[in-house]
Amino acid sequence: MTDEEKIIDKVEQSPAEGAPSDRWTEIEHLPEWDEEFYYVYTAKKFGKWVMLKTLRPEYRDEPKYQQMLDKEFEVRYNLVHPNIIMINDLEEVPGLGRCIITDDVYGLSLRKLIDQGKVTQHHIDQLRYQLPAAIEYIQTNHIVHHPIKPERIIFTENIENLKLIDVGFDQKQNLTNVDVADDIYNYGLVLRETMDKSGIDDFQLRRVAVKCLHPNPHRRYNDAQALRLALDGMTNRSIYMGIIAFLLIMITILVFIMIHK
């Protein structure tokens, strides 16, 4: 019997001590969502679907990995953004051990949509607006995270709202230029692959992707805010020019009024 089968068997046979037997039900492993040090499960807690993230058995009793799990919970617990999966609790789950409890995200990853040829214009639009907004939020909160890639981008069932999973494991006082440049580069990779493999091309997005992927990090967008401006068809220069033009118009109007008094 594999470690995974032993865990599932233990879960089914061992209700939480002192808790109703229906506290945790329908626990199911999600292998495609597993991470280097973690297993990921979906389950019902008192009848409500949630997701569980727990250390793999070989790491479960190691203090440094336990601290890593606790640190991730601490970093992500206060993150509140419509395009980032929410963390609800850190709890002992029978048979699984200490688990990070998150909202359930039922849907398909961008990776699956790409592989199955199911990417639509709606998904492209979400990558244009929602994903950069989530990246900007992460950068603003100085969150250190794993690379953004199609496997970590989920589109929810029915309304297909974009959700980022696995978005942070540490928090710095300030992100480095390398951290920011890597985010921009990885966003470019997501854009390029999605357009290349879906056959849905967009001149503006293609141009943005090319700049995101520039070999010289200093030639990429400075941060997620600059990226969002570019995606909106704007640049810092055009904003400044717009402000200057507005001020010139206002000055002209005031001068006209003063002359004709």
Side-chain angles (χ1 to χ4, degrees), residues 2 24 50 67-69 82 93 100 114 125 138 149 156 166 180 194-195 200 208 218 222 227 237-238 260:
T2 65
W24 292 105
V50 296
Q67 292 171 9
M68 182 176 69
L69 181 73
V93 176
I100 292 176
I114 291 173
D125 291 341
I138 291 169
K149 53 186 181 179
T156 60
D166 189 25
V180 174
T194 304
M195 287 189 290
I200 301 175
V208 167
H218 299 292
N222 293 331
L227 171 63
R237 185 172 182 273
S238 64
H260 291 83

Side-chain angles (χ1 to χ4, degrees), residues 168-207:
F169 55 87
D170 202 355
Q171 190 169 28
K172 296 181 179 180
Q173 188 165 358
N174 290 291
L175 292 180
T176 66
N177 291 335
V178 173
D179 293 327
V180 174
D182 284 349
D183 276 348
I184 301 300
Y185 184 82
N186 289 320
Y187 176 76
L189 287 177
V190 169
L191 276 188
R192 184 175 67 183
E193 181 181 2
T194 304
M195 287 189 290
D196 285 349
K197 294 185 177 179
S198 69
I200 301 175
D201 212 347
D202 180 297
F203 175 76
Q204 185 185 29
L205 286 182
R206 183 70 64 177
R207 186 174 60 181

Side-chain angles (χ1 to χ4, degrees), residues 24-225:
W24 292 105
T25 58
E26 300 187 47
I27 298 176
E28 180 183 351
H29 184 212
L30 302 174
E32 68 274 18
W33 288 28
D34 285 344
E35 301 170 25
E36 182 179 2
F37 302 107
Y38 300 104
Y39 279 154
V40 178
Y41 297 82
T42 185
K44 281 186 177 180
K45 180 180 180 182
F46 292 126
K48 177 185 177 182
W49 284 107
V50 296
M51 295 185 72
L52 312 174
K53 180 175 181 178
T54 187
L55 290 168
R56 292 173 179 257
E58 61 267 33
Y59 304 119
R60 195 165 297 158
D61 297 324
E62 295 288 333
K64 71 173 183 178
Y65 294 110
Q66 293 170 350
Q67 292 171 9
M68 182 176 69
L69 181 73
D70 291 346
K71 179 67 174 180
E72 180 167 340
F73 170 76
E74 178 186 335
V75 167
R76 293 179 56 189
Y77 183 69
N78 291 317
L79 296 182
V80 181
H81 190 277
N83 301 113
I84 294 177
I85 190 170
M86 295 282 293
I87 281 185
N88 300 322
D89 208 347
L90 183 65
E91 183 176 338
E92 288 286 337
V93 176
L96 297 182
R98 201 163 177 79
C99 295
I100 292 176
I101 316 297
T102 76
D103 288 343
D104 183 57
V105 182
Y106 190 71
L108 293 177
S109 68
L110 178 59
R111 168 60 59 215
K112 282 192 173 181
L113 290 168
I114 291 173
D115 291 346
Q116 295 174 10
K118 294 182 178 179
V119 174
T120 67
Q121 185 62 49
H122 171 79
H123 300 123
I124 298 292
D125 291 341
Q126 293 269 305
L127 295 179
R128 180 196 295 267
Y129 299 111
Q130 272 65 44
L131 184 54
I135 294 173
E136 182 176 7
Y137 180 82
I138 291 169
Q139 290 184 354
T140 300
N141 285 276
H142 310 148
I143 304 298
V144 182
H145 56 90
H146 297 294
I148 293 169
K149 53 186 181 179
E151 290 79 1
R152 296 190 169 105
I153 301 169
I154 305 297
F155 290 93
T156 60
E157 191 177 37
N158 299 325
I159 63 173
E160 296 190 309
N161 186 36
L162 183 149
K163 293 279 187 180
L164 268 182
I165 63 172
D166 189 25
V167 295
F169 55 87
D170 202 355
Q171 190 169 28
K172 296 181 179 180
Q173 188 165 358
N174 290 291
L175 292 180
T176 66
N177 291 335
V178 173
D179 293 327
V180 174
D182 284 349
D183 276 348
I184 301 300
Y185 184 82
N186 289 320
Y187 176 76
L189 287 177
V190 169
L191 276 188
R192 184 175 67 183
E193 181 181 2
T194 304
M195 287 189 290
D196 285 349
K197 294 185 177 179
S198 69
I200 301 175
D201 212 347
D202 180 297
F203 175 76
Q204 185 185 29
L205 286 182
R206 183 70 64 177
R207 186 174 60 181
V208 167
V210 168
K211 185 167 182 176
C212 287
L213 295 170
H214 199 286
N216 183 351
H218 299 292
R219 300 289 298 275
R220 300 171 195 162
Y221 298 103
N222 293 331
D223 52 28
Q225 184 178 30

Side-chain angles (χ1 to χ4, degrees), residues 230-249:
L231 289 165
D232 288 336
M234 303 166 65
T235 63
N236 288 329
R237 185 172 182 273
S238 64
I239 292 175
Y240 296 145
M241 292 299 292
I243 293 173
I244 292 172
F246 174 78
L247 291 175
L248 287 174
I249 291 172

